[in-house]
């Protein structure tokens, strides 16, 4: 099943032709409208006319999260604000988030891509889609929502949380498709068991899960417990949001919609483009975006381009499941968390370099984050009330910075293990394999 | 009139108090009074010792988070109602008590209680004016 068979299954030669044509337009757009890109191109001695073939893509400079942050909030936009109809944002490494904008046409393309993704993942216009991705600045909720409406399915914009209500609605409304993070899907399965609701009482038949790394074993567990078919969806706000790539019913790699994105996998150390089959960092270039085009954006996600064709007939490249990150970013309950964000919050308190550790765990199927903070003299109070107040303030400040629930534990100095003088910042006890 | 108290941050797990006392024993420090305030996660150990500066140094070197806080040591008759009347003086003067704990040993003529209040100077003034005996540092450290 396809949403747009013409483009999803475009013969490769035609696809390459279309990609080149669109790449040229994108390169011109950013060169003449975004000072950052013009500067970066000129540093390499490049003009838009130097892009003559798809191979020339590798001459273009990379774009990094730092570039986006330095141009916070709107410096990377390629259209005037009057053309921008939507803003989304994702967390940044040191407090400053990255902001992305969409023109009316970008929103339209995004809805088209998400409609394709939903169909690819098994949904039809007759489905009732319960969308438990968060609505708001995060692209997950609204991205799926627009795609579901474009498809013509009935979408329940329930957003995340309140799991018992999720189960009740799933049962009463006859939800057939669930969209959320895979760990939340497992949590829903657990709550269903607690409530004594069996999968047989539901009409749920498939799930489209993403926004965090998961494994084949987790897929099997979700499929078994909810009695559904589960597929992996991939996207990131810097590129568009969900809908960059998705698995088809073969469940063997994620299809990138090649008429809208170019994918490369590079060696993160040298920047050299790697051949299919080799693991490296995924680099994406948008081909049709107007407000926020990206050229060779380094996603820091580790994957490989899969060689060979998919029996489903889609022609765009496939990538393997994301297996990790090239940086220290953690994804906790679908939210991006950087240890440096925790550090900047702690610096506001003690005044000196804080020693801390992040302990990520999974209770049942929900991720938990504990931040252990060594109590220095600067933080110490000899009153219980004072320390409890510190714990509370740290928790509130961390929660507002990170956007997830945090447990703060005060620990004695030197209790956090240090290796070569540097503390190990993250202990991730979640088992994905 | 003010006395120096050591406050040490402890995680609420076995062996931590023992670790503190080991450090003090090795330095030949004698504990005069102690109290522990605890929650489910952590505790604050408060100590009056014979040599606060040297104890502070020893605990700091051993890697503990430790501070010196000023408190007052109040002597009172060892009979019913003695503490009550002192608390009444403080209440009348609207002085809030952060915490208090009793001494291990005994004073010359009665019981000894360590007070940590919001306004130490005012508490000393109020109590002295009521004829309550507040012990000085040398007296307390050498008890």
């Amino acid at each position: 099943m396809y949403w747009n068979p013409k483009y999803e299954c475009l013969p490769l030669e035609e696809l390459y032709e279309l990609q080149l044509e669109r790449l040229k337009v994108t390169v011109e757009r950013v060169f003449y409208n975004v000072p950052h890109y013009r500067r970066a191109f000129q540093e390499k001695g490049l003009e838009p006319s130097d892009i003559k073939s798809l191979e020339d893509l590798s001459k273009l400079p990379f774009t990094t999260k730092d570039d986006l942050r330095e141009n916070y909030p709107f410096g990377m936009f390629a259209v005037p604000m009057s053309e921008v109809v939507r803003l989304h944002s994702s967390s940044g490494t040191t407090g400053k988030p990255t902001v992305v904008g969409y023109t009316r046409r970008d929103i339209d393309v995004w809805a088209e891509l998400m409609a394709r993704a939903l169909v690819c993942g098994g949904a039809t216009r007759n489905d009732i889609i319960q969308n438990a991705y968060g609505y708001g600045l995060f692209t997950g909720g609204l991205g799926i929502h627009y795609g579901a409406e474009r498809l013509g399915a009935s979408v329940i914009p329930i957003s995340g949380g309140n799991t018992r209500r999720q189960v009740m609605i799933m049962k009463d409304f006859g939800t057939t498709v669930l969209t959320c993070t895979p760990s939340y899907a497992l949590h829903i399965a657990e709550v269903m068991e607690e409530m004594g609701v069996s999968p047989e009482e539901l009409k749920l038949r498939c799930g489209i899960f993403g926004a965090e790394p998961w494994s084949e074993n987790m897929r099997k567990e979700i499929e078994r417990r909810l009695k559904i078919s589960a597929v992996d969806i991939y996207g990131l706000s810097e590129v568009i949001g969900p809908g960059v790539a998705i698995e088809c019913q073969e469940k063997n790699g994620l299809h990138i919609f090649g008429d809208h994105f170019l994918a490369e996998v590079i060696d993160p150390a040298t920047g050299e483009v790697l051949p299919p089959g080799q693991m490296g960092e995924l680099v994406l270039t948008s081909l049709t975006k107007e407000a926020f085009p990206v050229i060779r954006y380094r996603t820091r996600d580790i994957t490989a381009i899969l060689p060979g064709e998919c029996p489903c007939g889609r022609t765009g490249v496939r990538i393997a499941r994301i297996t990790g990150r090239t940086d220290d970013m953690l994804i906790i309950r679908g939210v991006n968390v950087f240890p440096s964000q925790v550090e900047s919050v702690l610096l506001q308190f003690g005044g000196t370099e804080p020693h801390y550790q992040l302990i990520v765990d999974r209770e049942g199927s929900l991720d938990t984050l504990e931040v252990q903070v060594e109590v220095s003299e600067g933080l110490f109070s000899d009153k219980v009330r004072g320390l409890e107040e510190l714990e509370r303030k740290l928790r509130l400040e961390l929660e507002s910075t990170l956007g997830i629930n945090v447990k703060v534990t005060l620990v004695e100095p030197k209790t956090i293990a240090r290796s070569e003088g540097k503390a190990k910042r993250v202990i991730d006890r979640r088992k994905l394999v | 009139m003010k006395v120096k108290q050591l406050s040490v941050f402890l995680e609420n797990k076995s062996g931590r108090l023992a670790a503190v006392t080991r450090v003090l024993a090795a330095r030949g420090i004698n504990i005069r009074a102690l109290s522990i305030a605890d929650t489910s996660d952590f505790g604050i150990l408060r100590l009056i010792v014979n040599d606060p500066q040297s104890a502070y140094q020893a605990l700091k070197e051993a890697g503990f988070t430790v501070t010196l806080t000023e408190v007052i040591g109040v002597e009172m008759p060892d009979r019913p109602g003695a503490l009550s009347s002192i608390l009444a003086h403080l209440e009348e003067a609207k002085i809030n008590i952060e915490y208090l704990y009793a001494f291990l040993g005994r004073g010359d003529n009665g019981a000894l209680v360590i007070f940590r209040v919001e306004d130490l100077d005012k508490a000393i003034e109020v109590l002295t004016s009521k004829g309550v005996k507040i012990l000085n540092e040398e007296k307390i450290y050498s008890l």
Side-chain angles (χ1 to χ4, degrees):
Chain A
M1 289 290 285
Y2 314 103
W3 171 253
N4 189 336
K6 184 184 170 204
Y7 283 100
E8 290 176 64
C9 306
L10 204 61
L12 279 179
E13 265 174 40
E14 284 176 53
L15 178 63
Y16 295 153
E17 206 175 301
L18 182 66
Q19 286 176 332
L20 177 60
E21 184 190 310
R22 289 180 167 178
L23 177 64
K24 285 177 174 172
V25 172
T26 298
V27 164
E28 264 194 36
R29 177 191 296 282
V30 299
F31 187 84
Y32 292 109
N33 296 298
V34 185
H36 166 84
Y37 282 116
R38 185 202 300 257
R39 225 176 13 250
F41 283 23
Q42 284 170 342
E43 273 167 24
K44 294 204 155 215
L46 287 172
E47 295 266 326
S49 59
D50 292 324
I51 301 303
K52 296 188 178 73
S53 73
L54 282 180
E55 284 67 45
D56 293 331
L57 177 67
S58 61
K59 293 181 185 165
L60 294 173
F62 291 118
T63 307
T64 64
K65 183 102 177 167
D66 285 340
D67 294 328
L68 306 190
R69 214 173 48 228
E70 279 159 24
N71 288 281
Y72 175 88
F74 306 144
M76 297 294 267
F77 287 15
V79 297
M81 279 308 280
S82 56
E83 297 295 312
V84 172
V85 300
R86 174 97 66 82
L87 296 165
H88 278 287
S89 172
S90 79
S91 60
T93 51
T94 49
K96 278 270 189 280
T98 44
V99 181
V100 294
Y102 302 78
T103 63
R104 197 172 297 284
R105 191 169 156 267
D106 289 335
I107 295 285
D108 192 56
V109 166
W110 192 13
E112 149 86 16
L113 293 174
M114 266 314 308
R116 287 188 197 177
L118 290 168
V119 172
C120 189
T124 71
R125 67 188 304 273
N126 299 318
D127 276 304
I128 297 177
I129 299 179
Q130 185 157 335
N131 185 17
Y133 280 108
Y135 280 67
L137 281 176
F138 172 58
T139 48
L142 283 169
I144 303 265
H145 185 102
Y146 273 57
E149 285 189 351
R150 174 66 56 90
L151 169 60
S154 314
V155 53
I156 309 169
I158 193 165
S159 200
N162 201 343
T163 312
R164 297 179 85 87
R165 190 180 60 161
Q166 299 265 3
V167 174
M168 184 193 83
I169 283 182
M170 211 180 279
K171 197 172 152 196
D172 295 350
F173 291 16
T175 301
T176 53
V177 176
L178 174 65
T179 55
C180 59
T181 60
S183 57
Y184 193 59
L186 271 181
H187 182 65
I188 289 176
E190 275 161 20
V191 172
M192 272 171 56
E193 280 161 29
E194 278 169 32
M195 293 169 71
V197 175
S198 77
E200 283 76 16
E201 295 172 63
L202 304 178
K203 294 193 173 139
L204 206 59
R205 57 178 195 84
C206 73
I208 293 168
F209 306 123
E212 66 184 17
W214 50 314
S215 64
E216 275 310 308
N217 280 345
M218 240 175 117
R219 180 193 335 251
K220 285 199 192 96
E221 200 186 338
I222 293 172
E223 292 188 328
R224 180 179 58 80
R225 290 173 76 170
L226 288 174
K227 296 211 162 37
I228 59 171
S229 164
V231 299
D232 189 9
I233 184 168
Y234 174 79
L236 61 168
S237 65
E238 295 88 338
V239 174
I240 200 162
V244 174
I246 187 160
E247 284 179 331
C248 64
Q249 299 306 305
E250 300 291 326
K251 297 180 189 172
N252 180 23
L254 292 87
H255 291 275
I256 288 186
F257 296 116
D259 50 336
H260 294 276
F261 308 105
L262 284 175
E264 302 164 276
V265 167
I266 62 160
D267 178 333
T270 63
E272 183 199 346
V273 178
L274 298 173
Q278 274 197 42
M279 299 289 278
E281 179 180 351
L282 179 64
V283 170
L284 291 168
T285 300
S286 70
L287 293 175
T288 50
K289 279 180 79 195
E290 294 180 334
F292 195 89
V294 281
I295 301 290
R296 300 192 88 199
Y297 182 69
R298 294 187 61 158
T299 64
R300 301 187 182 182
D301 287 319
I302 295 171
T303 183
I305 286 178
L306 298 177
E309 288 166 22
C310 182
C312 82
R314 287 178 181 83
T315 48
V317 296
R318 279 174 308 144
I319 53 168
R321 257 177 195 287
I322 305 296
T323 54
R325 296 274 304 173
T326 62
D327 60 10
D328 55 2
M329 186 180 91
L330 294 160
I331 301 180
I332 302 172
R333 294 194 187 191
V335 176
N336 300 349
V337 172
F338 292 91
S340 54
Q341 288 176 291
V342 172
E343 192 160 318
S344 64
V345 168
L346 295 181
L347 271 169
Q348 297 164 24
F349 282 81
T352 50
E353 191 202 352
H355 281 291
Y356 64 92
Q357 193 162 49
L358 276 62
I359 303 198
V360 193
D361 210 338
R362 191 160 275 171
E363 272 168 28
S365 58
L366 275 192
D367 295 342
T368 59
L369 173 63
E370 177 186 352
V371 177
Q372 295 190 341
V373 183
E374 287 190 0
V375 177
S376 62
E377 252 176 76
L379 293 174
F380 185 51
S381 152
D382 90 314
K383 284 168 248 167
V384 170
R385 193 157 28 100
L387 287 179
E388 282 177 342
E389 185 65 12
L390 170 71
E391 231 173 33
R392 196 182 66 88
K393 280 189 182 155
L394 279 172
R395 180 172 56 79
L396 292 178
E397 195 58 34
L398 285 168
E399 286 179 348
S400 93
T401 303
L402 303 178
I404 51 167
N405 290 339
V406 176
K407 178 187 190 310
V408 169
T409 306
L410 302 177
V411 300
E412 285 174 35
K414 311 284 187 292
T415 49
I416 293 170
R418 288 153 174 75
S419 54
E420 290 158 18
K422 205 170 168 339
K424 187 167 163 45
R425 292 295 181 215
V426 179
I427 294 181
D428 197 338
R429 296 190 182 131
R430 292 176 295 184
K431 290 191 177 57
L432 287 179
V433 208
Chain B
M1 301 293 250
K2 293 172 199 162
V3 180
K4 289 202 168 51
Q5 167 197 265
L6 294 161
S7 301
V8 189
F9 178 80
L10 293 180
E11 273 175 67
N12 205 346
K13 61 187 189 191
S14 63
R16 300 316 300 150
L17 183 55
V20 172
T21 51
R22 227 181 352 260
V23 171
L24 296 178
R27 199 56 85 95
I29 306 277
N30 204 343
I31 299 171
R32 299 300 184 200
L34 70 81
S35 113
I36 297 177
D38 69 321
T39 71
S40 56
D41 296 327
F42 60 81
I44 301 166
L45 171 66
R46 302 176 184 128
L47 294 165
I48 304 288
V49 299
N50 61 338
D51 185 349
Q53 278 306 336
S54 151
Y56 173 80
Q57 215 46 48
L59 288 171
K60 220 173 144 61
E61 281 162 20
F64 287 97
T65 295
V66 53
T67 56
L68 284 168
T69 319
E70 290 189 318
V71 294
I72 51 175
V74 179
E75 190 177 78
M76 60 194 77
D78 192 1
R79 61 168 165 74
L83 178 59
S84 172
S85 75
I86 286 168
L87 295 181
H89 295 320
L90 293 173
E91 189 189 356
E92 200 180 311
K94 294 194 169 38
I95 297 171
N96 274 331
I97 299 166
E98 309 270 13
Y99 53 80
L100 58 80
Y101 54 99
F103 231 70
L104 293 181
R106 293 169 58 94
D108 296 344
N109 306 306
L112 267 171
V113 176
I114 299 292
F115 280 82
R116 165 90 171 131
V117 297
E118 275 176 359
D119 189 339
L120 277 180
D121 294 320
K122 193 172 166 199
I124 291 168
E125 187 193 314
V126 168
L127 292 176
T128 315
S129 74
K130 300 283 181 187
V132 176
K133 194 171 172 193
I134 295 175
L135 297 187
N136 62 22
E137 284 187 83
E138 287 119 71
K139 183 87 180 163
I140 287 205
Y141 300 154
S142 63
L143 272 172

